[in-house]
Amino acid sequence: MRRTSFSSIIAIILALSSSNTLAEQVAEQSVATIPVFDEAAQAAVQQFDTPGLALAVVKDGQLVHLAGYGERELSSAAPVTTETYFRLASASKAFTAASVAILVDEGKLSWDDKVIQHLPEFKMQDPWVTAEFTVRDLLSQRSGLAGAAGDSMIWPEPSGFSREEVIHNLRYLTPLTSFRGNYAYSNVLYITAAELVAKLAGKPWHEFVAERIFQPLQMQCYAGPMPEAALQNVAVPYSFSGEQGFAAIERNAINGAMLMSAAAGGIVCNASDMSKWLGFLLSQAQTTSKASSVAPVSGQQLAQMWSPQTLIAVSATDRELDFTNFSAYGMGWRMADMHGVKVVHHTGTLSGFQAHVLLVPDRQLGLVVLNNGSNSGARQAVVQTVLKHYLAPELQRDWVAYYANQQQQWAQSGARAAEPVGTGTVLLALQDYAGTYADRWFGAITIGQSDTGLHFQSARMVNLHGVLEPFADHSFVVRWHDANVARPALIHFQLNNRRQVTGFRLEPYTAEPGERHAYRDMQFFRSKP
């Protein structure tokens, strides 16, 4: 265990070395667990088909709860411990924003610098937007692009795109709304922000984060390659279905390799070390102190990261459960009012991994939930249990039962998107559709033919492969070999006036695909033989 390192860093940051109850508690390895949290976590992994979960809670400078539940790997029944590694998914974005904040503290850039001042190759589709786009805009989810635009260059892992290519291809993504007009979640812009940091720092982003954040806080976490020793205690990501049970999601496994998407969602950490991150953030939120060798980001820049930048709609559920009146995105963090206090948080979702990091600065409360399942009910139930315990104990309930009931109602409501209706036949012979096609930024797609029919294979994204089922006219349903990589798609082949296939477009396999989908900026043209 590395709990003594947690006590030392908290003792330094809080400057309470003489009477720091947290230091005494952890030095004596007397960290307890809170029974109601244990009960919720244990019930959640069972109810929501989640193999394992880890939970850390910090309150008033004390590590009041730190425990693992369930199994990190099912075939060996290996247990989750407080040092089991999980992917943080989008909870990684807070570290990306913090890496930018470090450079702001050093005077190497300003939040409101234009991106092209530092990355001349940065280019959005609209020249005016390119000229006006700031570092703050990179991190504030207000680009005007459709939500998740460009994610097709990132997932399913492993990506065949480099970070430089991701930045270059931003120019091909068509805006959906006006610049700075609406909240729209972006991963590609966080990858861009990390490359900006790398350029100004003169070293790869993952090395910068390790040297300037992880090492000062004594966190054994990784934005880049992992040492062999750390791989001895990693969680395996799982999906679950009633028909097949649990299935490992190998493409998202923690194998020591660095992900292209690390700055958007690829950092690897554990509950024990994430508790140090919670402790640092809560202590620094109480000060206006400058950055130091043990406090990598100043209180001033943390306040910037935790300031509302882009408004987010408040759902009826949030109003009902947490009495939320406002919600916004800052830089690397979401924020909202819950039960009369400001809550700063971020979730992380990647197939087979779920995370939630949450802080209530005014109450000196922080928590992190990490798990290796694919049902968000597990983290939601645990987070609500902890929140209500401290913020509204009179509203405490069985949150596992609550979210299980919510999911059951949703399943029974038939709320799933309606599927389109086809004839099951196409108008040309299958060989007429076979060939190689290419989009100017997504690259080549091969439509191959075998005895079993037509097959789809992306040249850049190796896990994007599947079979084509005739749908109607000149359209097919693409069903991926691994159903977990993406939902089925429709491929619509286009013909010239000589009835020759010249290209195709893709859209989601739904009756009303709309404009907000991953394929909207792709147009594939057939390559000449």
Side-chain angles (χ1 to χ4, degrees):
M1 299 294 289
R2 291 189 292 276
R3 293 175 179 172
T4 54
S5 63
F6 178 66
S7 66
S8 63
I9 192 65
I10 294 297
I12 293 171
I13 294 173
L14 295 180
L16 297 173
S17 57
S18 62
S19 60
N20 187 351
T21 57
L22 173 62
E24 295 170 359
Q25 174 192 28
V26 179
E28 295 172 2
Q29 296 190 0
S30 59
V31 175
T33 62
I34 296 175
V36 67
F37 300 168
D38 281 329
E39 293 167 10
Q42 291 163 354
V45 297
Q46 292 296 320
Q47 176 65 51
F48 300 110
D49 303 308
T50 298
L53 180 149
L55 171 64
V57 181
V58 172
K59 181 71 170 76
D60 297 326
Q62 296 184 342
L63 182 58
V64 297
H65 188 99
L66 180 63
Y69 308 88
E71 298 172 347
R72 68 177 188 263
E73 204 276 322
L74 292 176
S75 64
S76 64
V80 169
T81 72
T82 60
E83 296 190 351
T84 297
Y85 284 101
F86 297 81
R87 291 205 189 278
L88 299 184
S90 285
S92 303
K93 289 181 171 66
F95 295 97
T96 305
S99 70
V100 176
I102 291 171
L103 297 182
V104 175
D105 273 328
E106 293 179 345
K108 293 182 178 178
L109 83 163
S110 163
W111 293 112
D112 297 309
D113 281 355
K114 302 297 191 292
V115 176
I116 56 175
Q117 292 176 234
H118 306 289
L119 289 177
E121 65 272 27
F122 175 83
K123 183 178 180 180
M124 303 294 281
Q125 196 172 95
D126 186 320
W128 179 82
V129 173
T130 300
E132 294 298 315
F133 215 99
T134 66
V135 175
R136 190 184 302 272
D137 292 324
L138 283 178
L139 302 172
S140 300
Q141 311 292 18
R142 60 189 189 188
S143 65
L145 296 174
D151 276 9
S152 50
M153 293 183 284
I154 305 175
W155 294 291
E157 295 281 3
S159 171
F161 291 86
S162 67
R163 294 166 183 168
E164 293 78 12
E165 287 173 319
V166 168
I167 296 172
H168 179 270
N169 290 342
L170 294 174
R171 66 196 66 192
Y172 300 124
L173 304 180
T174 304
L176 185 65
T177 64
S178 60
F179 177 43
R180 298 181 184 143
N182 297 85
Y183 170 81
Y185 195 78
S186 175
N187 291 296
V188 291
L189 293 178
Y190 269 75
I191 292 171
T192 304
E195 288 307 285
L196 185 152
V197 170
K199 183 173 183 180
L200 292 180
K203 62 181 62 177
W205 178 78
H206 71 275
E207 293 182 6
F208 183 84
V209 171
E211 294 173 9
R212 302 300 300 275
I213 300 178
F214 295 153
Q215 290 178 18
L217 299 181
Q218 300 185 40
M219 298 172 64
Q220 300 298 315
C221 305
Y222 305 95
M226 296 175 64
E228 185 64 31
L231 296 176
Q232 303 310 304
N233 190 357
V234 300
V236 174
Y238 289 96
S239 63
F240 180 86
S241 69
E243 298 78 21
Q244 298 180 345
F246 287 102
I249 304 175
E250 296 297 337
R251 69 178 188 281
N252 288 336
I254 300 172
N255 57 16
M258 177 174 61
L259 300 183
M260 185 277 285
S261 61
I267 288 178
V268 174
C269 199
N270 57 49
S272 179
D273 285 313
M274 284 296 290
S275 68
K276 302 171 189 177
W277 178 234
L278 298 176
F280 162 69
L281 292 170
L282 290 170
S283 63
Q284 198 72 335
Q286 294 183 305
T287 74
T288 57
S289 65
K290 296 181 180 180
S292 69
S293 60
V294 294
V297 179
S298 70
Q300 179 183 4
Q301 302 314 328
L302 183 60
Q304 286 283 314
M305 293 160 61
W306 287 0
S307 295
Q309 305 293 328
T310 307
L311 291 178
I312 303 174
V314 177
S315 71
T317 300
D318 290 338
R319 284 193 293 269
E320 176 188 351
L321 295 185
D322 301 313
F323 300 96
T324 297
N325 296 297
F326 94 94
S327 181
Y329 204 91
M331 291 185 283
W333 294 92
R334 295 184 180 95
M335 57 211 65
D337 66 312
M338 298 181 184
H339 303 288
V341 292
K342 181 179 179 179
V343 174
V344 182
H345 69 108
H346 211 295
T347 53
T349 303
L350 182 69
S351 294
F353 287 113
Q354 304 243 321
H356 201 149
V357 181
L358 184 148
L359 302 115
V360 188
D362 288 349
R363 299 292 180 88
Q364 281 296 288
L365 170 65
L367 68 93
V368 59
V369 179
L370 307 172
N371 73 57
N372 60 336
S374 296
N375 188 324
S376 62
R379 71 180 178 201
Q380 289 173 311
V382 173
V383 167
Q384 279 289 355
T385 300
V386 177
L387 272 182
K388 295 299 186 286
H389 182 80
Y390 291 107
L391 301 187
E394 72 280 6
L395 299 177
Q396 188 67 280
R397 66 171 80 176
D398 183 342
W399 292 103
V400 173
Y402 172 84
Y403 284 109
N405 183 59
Q406 292 290 100
Q407 292 185 3
Q408 184 179 26
Q409 289 183 14
W410 183 85
Q412 293 174 347
S413 70
R416 295 180 182 277
E419 293 185 354
V421 178
T423 63
T425 61
V426 293
L427 301 179
L428 297 180
L430 294 185
Q431 62 264 26
D432 292 333
Y433 300 102
T436 300
Y437 302 78
D439 172 74
R440 60 181 176 173
W441 63 270
F442 191 71
I445 299 292
T446 299
I447 305 298
Q449 185 178 15
S450 70
D451 293 341
T452 58
L454 296 178
H455 305 269
F456 181 109
Q457 177 65 65
S458 167
R460 304 298 293 273
M461 305 298 285
V462 295
N463 281 319
L464 206 60
H465 56 94
V467 297
L468 273 61
E469 297 178 0
F471 176 72
D473 302 327
H474 301 291
S475 299
F476 294 76
V477 182
V478 185
R479 299 197 184 276
W480 311 111
H481 289 305
D482 180 354
N484 190 256
V485 305
R487 294 178 180 176
L490 276 173
I491 181 169
H492 302 295
F493 287 94
Q494 298 152 339
L495 280 64
N496 61 19
N497 55 7
R498 290 178 289 180
R499 295 182 59 76
Q500 297 171 325
V501 178
T502 59
F504 67 79
R505 296 188 71 92
L506 291 163
E507 67 180 23
Y509 180 59
T510 178
E512 297 182 7
E515 292 185 292
R516 301 171 183 265
H517 60 77
Y519 312 116
R520 68 190 301 260
D521 291 308
M522 299 178 189
Q523 171 62 66
F524 294 89
F525 294 97
R526 192 169 197 165
S527 304
K528 294 182 179 180

